[in-house]
Amino acid sequence: MKSCIPAKDKDEEEMNQEVPQNFIPPSQPRSNAGNSTQPTSARQRDSSPISWQPTSAPRRISSPPQTPALPTAKLSEHHNWQASVNSVHERNAVMFNNPLMADVFFTVGVTGHQKRIPGHKFILGSGSSVFFAMLYGGLAEEVKIMEINIPDVEPTAFLNLLRFLYCDEIWIEADTVLATLYAAKKYIVPQLAKACVRYLETSLSAKNACVLLSQGRLFEEVELMQRCWEVIDAQAEESLLSEGFTDIDKRTLETILSRETLNTKELSIFNAVCRWAKTECMRQDFNPTPQNQRRVLGECIHLIRFPSMSLEDFANGPAQTGILTLQECHDLFLHFTAQLSPKLPFNKLNRKGLSQYRVHRFQSSAYRSNQWRYRGRCDSIQFSVDRRIFIAGFGLYGSSNATSEYKVKIELKRNGLVEGQCSTKFLSDGSSNTFPVLFESPVQIETETFYTASVILEGKELSYFGQEGCAEIQCGKVTFQFQCSSDSTNGTGVQGGQIPELIFYC
């Protein structure tokens, strides 16, 4: 294996180091790929690739054996169909959504969008305590065939519930998962509810975190709420800008505004609250005037930390919206400008935000007469983690010969697709310290998937570089694994080079 330290006799036009011989292509599975077997109860329709299984799970080397499809209700149209099925599981599957021998019919959905769905008391009662009480309890009607109206459940979600009880199959899609979770909770089918929550967790992002937090509160799903908070805290800017933020209920809004660890400016929080207030006015059939916005916000307005804003931000933003009263604006301006300010109903302290962590992958750094060179080439490394984190940026080495400014472009990719990038400048002071370069918004990193961190620098070539790199590092509760990247055309690898640090939240 070639050293990561640039040799002294290299020509100036050559790169610092060739890609090490231990390079592992991104497509090669990790050693634990064999643990990715999916539960046999989680089937999918051939027409839909969506699964409730985590999308970031390690991939198989070869496709799993195909499980034969269960028979459908159509089989019961054949003579002596019972002789062609071999198990109770298959016989139950034939009965799913089948009026044959049905002794209960459900009219599901709101008026105008109703669907009549057949059921069989024995199967339903044996799979749900709620169905048992409904069909066999003291309030059950003494009739041969029962008719039950269920207006608060969507027909598709009800069929998903019955499919699980009859066939042990879980069919979940993005547009039905919340309705299915509601049905599973209502009829106390915990296995299906858990599958819905796992699906939501794997699809969690800044775009839907606020909505899922609201739903998590509604369904009392503590683990889902915790995952939502991780995303909202780290990617607060994106979460507050999402369309879903305006759809949350007022109680969820209060919990978000009370959050000490939101990683964003207070002005961004105020702008998001104004968007929510306008939408809430329309939901309540109010004209979205500043007075009505203040009316629907109520005490929530006092959870915004106006005193922690800069005078310029306050004067050009909140002070001109009309949501604050003239007295509140007057008192806040005195707070910013006067030696003695009046008592304010707003918290004056900045939010604490999140603590940043840095994983340093080299044990030492060095510089030589034949320095680490750039010339517009790419330094790159691949990494994976064992728990979800949010990459805020990279720590980079700078000049080893006095103060110098570098132009830099950083990039983070997953499976060849860019997840985050930033072009900026940073000033190094000639020391071996690392210098942070951050993305505009932290990038969510899923587990068991390799990401590619890349940087292209332009500036002085008298630069420090890392040595004695580690392939696996524990940083707090997170374990990082590093491997060489084929994108690295400037010599950076596991053992040495650039990108000494990853800056992250967890």
Side-chain angles (χ1 to χ4, degrees):
M1 186 180 298
K2 299 186 178 181
S3 171
C4 286
I5 302 175
K8 291 186 178 181
D9 57 354
K10 286 276 188 182
D11 187 89
E12 288 190 353
E13 293 302 322
E14 294 181 5
M15 69 179 189
N16 296 305
Q17 174 204 11
E18 297 175 3
V19 176
Q21 296 175 3
N22 69 340
F23 166 66
I24 303 174
S27 60
Q28 181 170 333
R30 297 179 63 182
S31 60
N32 64 348
N35 296 330
S36 62
T37 306
Q38 296 184 4
T40 56
S41 63
R43 302 180 188 271
Q44 293 181 339
R45 288 177 287 183
D46 294 337
S47 61
S48 174
I50 299 177
S51 169
W52 60 274
Q53 289 291 331
T55 56
S56 58
R59 296 183 178 180
R60 292 175 175 272
I61 300 175
S62 58
S63 299
Q66 293 294 322
T67 304
L70 288 172
T72 65
K74 192 170 182 63
L75 179 64
S76 65
E77 298 175 4
H78 300 166
H79 175 69
N80 195 26
W81 62 269
Q82 293 88 343
S84 63
V85 292
N86 302 316
S87 66
V88 173
H89 189 202
E90 290 180 341
R91 287 193 287 274
N92 282 350
V94 174
M95 291 295 101
F96 167 64
N97 201 21
N98 191 343
L100 180 66
M101 295 185 283
D103 46 9
V104 59
F105 283 86
F106 301 94
T107 302
V108 185
V110 297
T111 303
H113 300 277
Q114 293 175 325
K115 187 170 184 177
R116 193 166 186 262
I117 299 174
H120 303 79
K121 295 180 183 178
F122 170 76
I123 295 176
L124 299 176
S126 63
S128 162
S129 59
V130 176
F131 278 129
F132 179 81
M134 182 188 299
L135 303 173
Y136 293 98
L139 299 179
E141 298 179 13
E142 294 293 334
V143 293
K144 186 175 182 180
I145 297 179
M146 297 179 67
E147 294 280 349
I148 299 176
N149 187 35
I150 304 179
D152 61 327
V153 178
E154 294 181 9
T156 302
F158 194 77
L159 283 171
N160 287 343
L161 172 69
L162 265 55
R163 183 180 289 107
F164 178 77
L165 296 177
Y166 279 76
C167 311
D168 259 353
E169 289 188 332
I170 298 173
W171 286 11
I172 304 175
E173 294 179 328
D175 57 350
T176 62
V177 60
L178 288 174
T180 303
L181 176 58
Y182 174 76
K185 286 282 189 176
K186 177 175 181 177
Y187 293 101
I188 313 181
V189 184
Q191 298 89 343
L192 180 59
K194 185 177 180 179
C196 291
V197 171
R198 289 183 62 185
Y199 179 92
L200 291 171
E201 289 177 354
T202 60
S203 62
L204 183 60
S205 70
K207 293 181 179 179
N208 60 17
C210 292
V211 170
L212 294 185
L213 174 67
S214 181
Q215 296 297 322
R217 289 184 60 257
L218 175 65
F219 296 126
E220 299 181 343
E221 287 291 342
V222 176
E223 187 174 346
L224 176 60
M225 291 172 62
Q226 180 57 39
R227 292 291 181 89
C228 290
W229 279 127
E230 291 174 3
V231 175
I232 293 170
D233 282 342
Q235 297 180 303
E237 193 84 19
E238 291 181 61
S239 298
L240 297 178
L241 283 173
S242 67
E243 293 182 9
F245 177 77
T246 60
D247 294 330
I248 63 177
D249 61 280
K250 188 174 181 180
R251 178 58 185 146
T252 302
L253 176 68
E254 290 175 356
T255 61
I256 292 176
L257 296 182
S258 302
R259 194 74 172 172
E260 191 70 34
T261 45
L262 291 179
N263 192 34
T264 188
K265 287 184 174 182
E266 202 67 25
L267 181 60
S268 298
I269 296 174
F270 173 77
N271 290 335
V273 169
C274 289
R275 290 175 47 243
W276 182 90
K278 290 177 182 177
T279 304
E280 182 66 14
C281 282
M282 290 184 281
R283 280 194 287 262
Q284 297 188 28
D285 293 327
F286 294 155
N287 186 18
T289 62
Q291 293 74 21
N292 283 335
Q293 290 180 49
R294 178 62 182 264
R295 176 183 173 185
V296 298
L297 284 171
E299 291 301 311
C300 285
I301 195 72
H302 296 133
L303 298 175
I304 302 175
R305 304 185 181 189
F306 295 104
S308 68
M309 298 180 184
S310 67
L311 173 58
E312 183 180 4
D313 282 348
F314 177 76
N316 293 324
Q320 299 187 35
T321 60
I323 292 179
L324 293 171
T325 66
L326 290 177
Q327 185 63 49
E328 287 169 338
C329 286
H330 175 268
D331 291 347
L332 282 164
F333 274 119
L334 287 179
H335 165 79
F336 288 118
T337 57
Q339 290 184 348
L340 294 176
S341 60
K343 186 177 180 180
L344 298 172
F346 309 104
N347 193 329
K348 299 179 181 180
L349 300 177
N350 291 320
R351 297 178 194 268
K352 294 179 181 178
L354 291 176
S355 299
Q356 277 189 0
Y357 296 87
R358 297 190 179 202
V359 56
H360 196 92
R361 62 190 195 89
F362 300 125
Q363 298 182 57
S364 64
S365 61
Y367 67 94
R368 295 186 174 185
S369 58
N370 187 17
Q371 300 294 332
W372 195 261
R373 306 177 186 282
Y374 297 111
R375 308 291 174 86
R377 291 184 290 256
C378 179
D379 287 290
S380 184
I381 191 71
Q382 287 191 322
F383 70 93
S384 71
V385 291
D386 64 347
R387 62 176 293 175
R388 175 184 286 156
I389 64 170
F390 301 85
I391 293 292
F394 310 149
L396 303 177
Y397 286 125
S399 169
S400 60
N401 184 19
T403 301
S404 179
E405 184 178 73
Y406 286 88
K407 290 182 179 180
V408 57
K409 178 182 179 181
I410 61 173
E411 194 172 70
L412 193 60
K413 293 192 294 187
R414 174 184 179 181
N415 298 329
L417 300 177
V418 176
E419 299 282 327
Q421 61 183 0
C422 178
S423 296
T424 185
K425 298 178 181 178
F426 74 89
L427 189 67
S428 69
D429 58 9
S431 72
S432 60
N433 295 331
T434 58
F435 301 91
V437 179
L438 305 179
F439 296 107
E440 289 187 4
S441 179
V443 180
Q444 182 171 309
I445 303 298
E446 300 294 346
T447 61
E448 309 300 334
T449 299
F450 272 98
Y451 290 77
T452 303
S454 301
V455 58
I456 297 176
L457 290 117
E458 295 180 25
K460 277 191 178 181
E461 298 203 341
L462 301 177
S463 169
Y464 284 92
F465 56 91
Q467 297 184 124
E468 302 177 89
C470 300
E472 183 172 309
I473 303 174
Q474 181 83 21
C475 183
K477 297 180 180 179
V478 186
T479 300
F480 288 80
Q481 290 191 355
F482 295 96
Q483 68 180 24
C484 296
S485 168
S486 60
D487 291 350
S488 189
T489 58
N490 199 44
T492 289
V494 173
Q495 288 77 30
Q498 257 288 8
I499 317 181
E501 289 180 336
L502 300 179
I503 305 169
F504 67 98
Y505 304 110
C506 67

